[in-house]
Amino acid sequence: GAQRCAGARRAGNRARGASTPMACAAESESSSEEESCSDSECEIDGIPYTPVPHGLFDTPKPTSRSGGTAAFFNARYSGPAGAQRARWGKSDTYWLAKDLARAVDELDFYENLAALGPEYRLLHRWAMEYGGVLHARCEGAKLGVLEPTPRKLMLLRNLRDGIRTLRMLDVKIGSVTAVAGWQGKSASA
């Protein structure tokens, strides 16, 4: 069944009827029962999210972790040409997929950011682009072998896409983001 355009509405916006543009786009593009969801089903830990239509990406393949605890996967678009390619298939390395099993706290930030209007363009410009949540079975540690259960993966703009040399500064905001034991950080964090 088709999902309603309200799938990714923020709790505070439900009364006003606002939703993210991607939720509306996903409404007509989703063809999988597993990807269709109602308002209450498109949630992770009570956070409504924007679903990515099923079948648009190749099997996500693991990439290296750099200091964090969440697993990252390469997400390569393999869907049809047209509007979907313009939205999700800008280049082969445009998106990284971050496993939400260890990063669900970030989902609320990106969903709220996606719902903000053009008056917040500076914040949109400084934050990584967010593509929604992809449900997919990923390639495991053994090359070519799929993991038994699908993961929920947050699509984020791959900062290495189109860049030969990259230098990054990872700014942590909050009083507990680097505390040992928080979100699986090691004791030497």
Side-chain angles (χ1 to χ4, degrees), residues 53-67:
H54 179 70
L56 296 183
F57 287 87
D58 287 344
T59 300
K61 296 182 177 13
T63 186
S64 64
R65 288 186 205 176
S66 181

Side-chain angles (χ1 to χ4, degrees), residues 7-8 10 20-23 42 44 47-52 57 87-88 90 94-98 100 103-104 106-115 123-124 126-135 152-158:
R10 305 305 313 140
T20 65
M22 286 182 50
C42 279
I44 299 173
I47 302 168
Y49 66 85
T50 304
V52 173
F57 287 87
R87 172 67 189 102
W88 284 288
K90 296 174 184 173
Y94 194 83
W95 299 108
L96 273 181
K98 186 173 188 176
L100 285 168
V104 74
E106 294 179 39
L107 179 61
D108 195 39
F109 170 80
Y110 285 104
E111 284 291 338
N112 277 310
L113 181 63
L123 183 56
H124 284 281
W126 283 92
M128 287 189 291
E129 184 179 348
Y130 165 66
V133 175
L134 174 68
H135 290 238
K152 292 178 181 168
L153 305 166
M154 180 169 54
L155 292 182
L156 295 172
R157 177 72 164 100
N158 182 357

Side-chain angles (χ1 to χ4, degrees), residues 77 79-86:
Y77 181 83
Q84 290 177 325
R85 177 168 292 284

Side-chain angles (χ1 to χ4, degrees), residues 34-50:
E34 154 185 21
E35 294 303 312
S36 294
C37 55
S38 67
D39 283 348
S40 62
E41 293 170 338
C42 279
E43 291 185 355
I44 299 173
D45 290 352
I47 302 168
Y49 66 85
T50 304

